[in-house]
Each structure stands twice: as C-alpha cells, then as structure tokens.
Amino acid sequence: MPSMANASEGGVGVGQKSNGVPSSAKNRSVEQSQSLARKASIAQQRRSLPIASELPQFLFNGGFCDGGKVIGITQPRRVAAVTVAKRVAEECGIELGQKVGYSIRFEDVTSRSTRIKYMTDGLLLRYSVILVDEAHERTVHTDVLLGLLKDVQRARSKYNTTQNNSDKVNGNYSAVSGKEGITHCPSYLKPCQGAKFFPLKLIIMSASLDARGFSEYFGGARAVHIQGRQYPVDILYTYDPVRDYLNAALITILQEEIESVERLVRERIRHLPLSSQNVVTVSIYSSLPSEQQMKVFRPPPPGCRKVILATNIAETSVTIPGIKYVIDPGVVKARDYSAKTGLESLVIVPTSKAQALQRSGRAGREGPGKCFRLYPESVFFELKDSTLPEIKRCNLSSIVLQLKALGIDDIIGFDFMDKPDRDSIKKSLEQLIALGALTDEYKLSDPVGQQMSRLPLDPIHSKAIILATQYNCLEEMLITVSMLSVESIFYSPHDKLEEAKVAWKRFSCLEGDHITLINVYRASVEFIEKSKIKESRVKAIEGNLKKWCRENFINNRSLRHAQDVHSQIRGHVQQMGLTVNSCGDDMLQFRRCLAASFFLNAALKQPDGSYRAMESGQRVQIHPSSMISGTKPDCVIYNELVQTNRPYLRYVTRIDPLWLPELAPQYYAAQT
DNA sequence: GAGCACTGC
C-alpha cells in the first residue's frame, strides 16, 4: 500500500484485485432490506476485502486532505456508495455527513467539513486524490469519467508547469491554455473563482485481468497487486460442449428465462425419489418486486438444499450468503445497439473470462466451493478477457450531449479508453441536431441544448419537457417522462396474467400508453392523498400504497422511483424558470407535444398491418403489451424500438400524421 | 398476440 501513496505527482496507481473478484467492500443487498439476510450480508462484507474503505482513511492520515482538500471515491452503484460511507464513518466513530459523507442522486449527505466523499458520479475538480473503484465493470459513466480525468490530469500538470515557469500567474486555465496552444478548454477544466489547481492523483481499482489496459491508457501507470481474501473454488468443466437434454435445458433457460426454469426444476424434483425432494427453489432478477427478491435471502428449512436461479444481478449487485456451488452456463444476455437501425436488442453472447471468474467467485465467499462450468475448458481459454465496454454498444446521444455541455467540442477526437464507433457518434450528433440541442455547426444551442443537457434524461425526453410549457402540459409531461425513465411499472406474474390485465384496464387509455401511464400515476397520487386523510403515520401510508400496488399489479419499487424522478425533474424545470402548467383532461395538446418531441420515433401503418419506423425504414410491430396494439392507428409515436423475438415498438401513442410536418418541419418538410 | 441483463444521472 505505501507504494500507492508514494505515487508520483499527478501519478496513477492501478489497484489490482486478484482473481477478478471485485473489491467486496460493499454490501450489495437489495434496497430496503431490514431482514436477517441483510445483517448476514453486512457481516460477510466486513470479513472481506475492504480496499475501498481502508485506502481513503490511509490517504487522509497521510495528509492528503490538508488545506481543505477532499478525497473522492466513485462507485458504480448507489448502494455501494452509501454502505461503504456508513461503514467508514462507523469505524472512525464519527457521524456520517461530517468528515465522511456520500453524495448520490436524491441524497447528499455531506457538509463543509466532509473530506472523504463517496459518490456515484460527478465532476471532481476539487479533489486531490480520486479512487475509481470497480473500473473493470466499464460502465459508460466509468469510461467517460476516465477520459475526463485523464484530460484534467494532463491540464493540471500543464498548468502547474506553466505556473512555475511564468512570472505571471493567472489562476485561470483558459488564459494558460492559449499560451500552451491547447486547442480546447473545456469549462470543467477552469478552476472555480479563487480555487487552486491541485495536482491530481488517480487510483484506478480493477480486477487483475484488465489492469494492463488501464495502466497503458494512463501512460504506463504503476500497477499494484492486492491479494483478495477468497476461499478456493474448484472449477469443473464438461468434457464436451453440452448437447442433448442439457442443451435442451439451456435452450429453455435462454428462451423462456427464469420463471419457466423454476417451474421446470420444481417439476423435475417432484419426479425424484422422496428422499431427494428436499430442495427449495428461489429466483432473483432485477424487475422482480422487492418482496419477492427478499426470498433468496431466507435460509432454507433444515436439511433442505436451496437452489437459486439468478440473472447476472447475482454476479455483482447482490451478494447472497451461503452459496457453495455455482452453475455457470457460460452465456449472458447483453445489450446491443445498432447505429444503423437505431435498434436496441438483448442478445445472448458468451461471457468474458472476467465474468466467468466473477461467477465462480460467488461460490467461495464463506468457504471452499465448487463451480460447474457448462462448457469445456478449451472454450474458457477462447473467451474474451473482458466484456465489451458498454460505451461500444449503446446509444450515445445523452453522453455526447453531456460532453458538449462540458465544453468538449471534438467528440470524435476525445481520448476514450475504448473509442465508440464513428458511425455511432455521428448518429448521435445527427439526432441532437434534429432535436435542436446542437446547431448545424455542432455547437450546443442556447437555450434549448443547454437546458436539455441539465436534465438527467434521454435527450428526446428532455426535449419533450422543454417543449411542454408551450403546449400547456408540462405537468403531464413530467409524469410521463418519469414513468418512462424507470423499470417496468406493470408487474405481470406468469400465473396471474389475466388477473393483472383486468386490474390494468381501469387505467388504460385508447389514445395510447403514455396517457395510460399518467392515469396510473394520478391514481396512485390520489390514493396516497386519501390514505393521508385516514392515516398520519408515514409507515402506514407506505404500507397502504404497497397493498394498492399489489392489487393493481403495479411494481411498487418502480412507482416510487418514478415519484423520485418526478420531483427531481420538477425541481430542475422550476430552476430553469419554466412554467409548470397542466392541460387537465385536454389530451390533444399533450399528444401534439409528444409528436413535436418524439418525431424521430414515428411509425406509419403499412397496408399489411405492420408499421414502418420513419427514421430507419425498419418494419416493426406494436408490442402486444401495448394498450393500443389491437386498434392499429395509422400513425404513432413510440418511446423505444427494441428487438426481441421481432422488432417491437414499446410505449406507443396515436398521433395525426399531419402533425409531423406541421410540428417538426425541420425534419419532415422534405419528406412526405 | 410477448417475454421480462444490469447499473446510473
């Protein structure tokens, strides 16, 4: 560890973790758990490797916070930021939010005296040391952050050199950059009024498999290996690639997903001898309501084996105690994006070596374990070392908008660790121009582009918000965009689908799904208000809402998330000075506003009853879950175009085709 | 007439 602290000025340390096992100084239990399971998980976490909690204290004691400097630690997940901060404060015997704090969306538990700050994201100019944890996960945010940090570090060392060599100290980077001939000076490189530029030290913590990549990216930074605490896990491969019934089972797994596999497992168990039937099965995946998720933490009855069927939520996000055996089919469902068609899809691809190690590592958290890989060892060696970074397989519009807002004009020239495809960048620039966020010269427009970049939303959603005041429906658009930004609001358990459909009927609107979402939101608010009249205790009201959600097959967690997003975005638009007006029940205005902002996502009915997405020309269908999939209007706008079994439009609303050239002439004037 | 990787602002 000392070698890290001794890293040269402006240096980078790459903290390596052994075996691809992530720093486990984080409790990844599912939110809101107050169960025994959570306690077990925390206890487990305490026993394991606490790099992300010990290192900042070490740096603090080493004087890195002298003179008001702050150590920032980024985490890819909110739970991790909160729990690690809490734990460090606890260990230091101090109140959270004082010396140690955290800052995440919807919650800022820091103060002027905070010196060790955990966070999920943010611009980190005021920090002297930045530790980026879990860098191997390569989220879009991590990648953008690394690019920015590299830029900041370069600029700061340049600034410091200039400061030493020049008798005229300006304290303003843009003045210096002119002298140095640096072509751009992003706004985030300019120090705040009166602020000093500290040389920046970076410590990138990642799994060992890709430490070299980080080291090279940061100009040959020193790599320090830290041994993780982990019990041995036996890895067992198949002799041959799996076929026959195993393969059939796999196909079932891949096609029908967890719910069906669970039924299959239960059915098979019934056919076993009685003495072997002592098995319980539980499932866990992200869109499952929290109450059901909690079941995986319950200990099995005595003498019973527990079989957990999990998506890759169990790879990193959730740590389930007591796992001895892991079965790894060797595949993963991963997001893919085609810039050409604008189509997002979930495809089944082989895992990377890092993911395979991550999965097997789950068997060795509390004692020695075994991992069965359903593929031969030779296949393992052919796997890619690490997963393709997300930035190479997602729509870039919102990232590009953010970079533009930071003053980075040359997106194609930006020093990404892995450069996104040129086509993908071009596509997003075109989209932003069509939305009016960028000028024809690719500059951030004023005020539209600037306002859009301030909203933490998909650019099309931001555009809808900004336009809504003019259509007298900002209240309705805030609700819509909030509901569209969260995981599925509707919960449809396989065995109660018909019941669920009946429950949803009371919200449904024949004009489209956007209004249906507004109806759900309004109904829930109305219910809460009524509940408040009868009941003053917050806990009881929350309980009532939970029950209401259960009865209506609404995912309570998603709904609450939407409420949080709603109040956050509402705050933003009020700060911008937009009038929060409402069209009441006049949904014509609202649908016209949808047409004016979602015009890139318009589709026309074809003679054969299918639809043509106007932007890409793609043949698509309205998703059967849509409230208007049966009515087949001539022209619709949609929220997203996804490829599953077929290309589908999800969240669809009927519009008048003549509205498009009227409300988006810049895009539809030339077309007919 | 379907199918539900995972995060995050």
Side-chain angles (χ1 to χ4, degrees), chain A residues 84-118:
Chain A
V84 182
K86 278 184 182 160
R87 181 174 157 191
V88 172
E90 206 177 291
E91 279 174 4
C92 297
I94 52 170
E95 197 189 327
L96 187 66
Q98 295 303 306
K99 188 186 102 185
V100 178
Y102 66 89
S103 186
I104 59 174
R105 190 181 188 185
F106 309 129
E107 254 189 292
D108 182 14
V109 186
T110 59
S111 60
R112 291 189 124 191
S113 54
T114 301
R115 291 293 168 267
I116 298 178
K117 179 171 169 181
Y118 289 83

Side-chain angles (χ1 to χ4, degrees), chain A residues 333-339 341-349 388-390 392-395 421 641-643:
Chain A
K333 269 193 171 178
R335 167 179 292 166
D336 206 13
Y337 171 75
S338 153
T341 58
L343 210 69
E344 280 194 323
S345 56
L346 277 177
V347 285
I348 295 157
V349 292
L388 189 69
E390 192 188 2
K392 296 193 64 118
R393 48 187 172 88
C394 73
N395 180 337
D421 295 339
L641 173 46
V642 288
Q643 167 84 44

Side-chain angles (χ1 to χ4, degrees), chain A residues 31-92:
Chain A
E31 61 174 321
Q32 278 213 321
S33 158
Q34 290 165 350
S35 62
L36 279 174
R38 173 143 184 164
K39 281 180 197 152
S41 180
I42 291 171
Q44 182 188 3
Q45 168 201 307
R46 281 182 195 286
R47 283 196 297 274
S48 51
L49 182 73
I51 297 180
S53 63
E54 271 173 18
L55 201 48
Q57 297 175 74
F58 181 83
L59 294 167
F60 180 86
N61 294 336
F64 281 97
C65 292
D66 295 354
K69 287 183 273 188
V70 180
I71 295 173
I73 303 102
T74 70
Q75 293 282 350
R77 273 171 294 279
R78 295 157 49 92
V79 214
V82 176
T83 50
V84 182
K86 278 184 182 160
R87 181 174 157 191
V88 172
E90 206 177 291
E91 279 174 4
C92 297

Side-chain angles (χ1 to χ4, degrees), chain A residues 17 20-31 33 37-38 41-42 44-45 52 74-81 83-84 133-137 284 293-294 296-297 312-321 358 362 365:
Chain A
K17 291 169 211 161
V21 177
S23 119
S24 40
K26 41 197 59 76
N27 169 27
R28 272 114 174 233
S29 75
V30 181
E31 61 174 321
S33 158
R38 173 143 184 164
S41 180
I42 291 171
Q44 182 188 3
Q45 168 201 307
T74 70
Q75 293 282 350
R77 273 171 294 279
R78 295 157 49 92
V79 214
T83 50
V84 182
D133 201 1
E134 308 284 23
H136 60 272
E137 290 192 18
I284 183 163
Q293 285 187 345
M294 285 308 144
V296 303
F297 295 108
N312 39 348
I313 192 172
E315 232 172 58
T316 48
S317 302
V318 172
T319 295
I320 304 159
Q358 183 72 42
R362 292 286 157 175
R365 310 268 303 183

Side-chain angles (χ1 to χ4, degrees), chain A residues 330-440:
Chain A
V331 285
V332 63
K333 269 193 171 178
R335 167 179 292 166
D336 206 13
Y337 171 75
S338 153
K340 205 178 247 177
T341 58
L343 210 69
E344 280 194 323
S345 56
L346 277 177
V347 285
I348 295 157
V349 292
T351 63
S352 61
K353 285 196 186 91
Q355 274 176 305
L357 290 164
Q358 183 72 42
R359 291 177 180 192
S360 58
R362 292 286 157 175
R365 310 268 303 183
E366 291 166 45
K370 280 193 169 71
C371 175
F372 298 89
R373 292 193 177 143
L374 301 187
Y375 49 90
E377 191 171 18
S378 56
V379 171
F380 175 80
F381 290 115
E382 286 160 17
L383 296 178
K384 290 209 175 81
D385 279 354
S386 41
T387 315
L388 189 69
E390 192 188 2
I391 203 157
K392 296 193 64 118
R393 48 187 172 88
C394 73
N395 180 337
L396 294 172
S397 320
S398 88
I399 299 297
V400 168
L401 183 60
Q402 275 182 55
L403 288 173
K404 286 280 179 187
L406 288 168
I408 292 163
D409 280 330
D410 180 13
I411 307 290
I412 293 181
F414 186 70
D415 187 9
F416 286 105
M417 190 164 164
D418 277 81
K419 252 190 213 306
D421 295 339
R422 227 187 154 83
D423 282 351
S424 192
I425 296 177
K426 278 189 182 158
K427 175 92 174 181
S428 60
L429 289 168
E430 284 164 18
Q431 244 195 47
L432 291 169
I433 290 174
L435 291 173
L438 298 181
T439 65
D440 290 341

Side-chain angles (χ1 to χ4, degrees), chain A residues 496-610:
Chain A
K496 287 182 187 164
L497 198 55
E498 288 311 311
E499 210 181 310
K501 280 184 184 168
V502 173
W504 296 333
K505 258 235 158 86
R506 54 178 283 230
F507 308 115
S508 75
C509 167
L510 279 179
E511 303 282 25
D513 304 320
H514 297 79
I515 300 173
T516 303
L517 286 176
I518 296 177
N519 291 343
V520 171
Y521 193 92
R522 284 183 173 162
S524 75
V525 171
E526 199 180 309
F527 176 83
I528 296 169
E529 292 309 320
K530 270 192 197 156
S531 189
K532 274 183 187 163
I533 297 172
K534 294 182 223 152
E535 186 60 71
S536 58
R537 289 170 303 145
V538 179
K539 269 265 150 64
I541 294 169
E542 275 175 14
N544 287 345
L545 183 64
K546 261 189 190 167
K547 190 162 163 258
W548 183 86
C549 282
R550 242 193 331 265
E551 286 164 359
N552 290 292
F553 293 89
I554 302 292
N555 188 325
N556 177 253
R557 170 164 29 97
S558 303
L559 183 65
R560 280 186 299 123
H561 190 185
Q563 291 166 346
D564 284 343
V565 175
H566 181 268
S567 70
Q568 187 196 32
I569 306 299
R570 198 172 215 281
H572 273 118
V573 300
Q574 282 171 335
Q575 262 188 347
M576 287 178 195
L578 298 177
T579 314
V580 184
N581 46 21
S582 165
C583 60
D585 290 328
D586 178 14
M587 287 303 178
L588 182 66
Q589 280 306 304
F590 172 74
R591 287 193 298 126
R592 281 173 63 81
C593 185
L594 284 180
S597 43
F598 284 74
F599 60 87
L600 287 168
N601 295 0
L604 280 180
K605 188 162 80 175
Q606 302 300 295
D608 66 354
S610 72

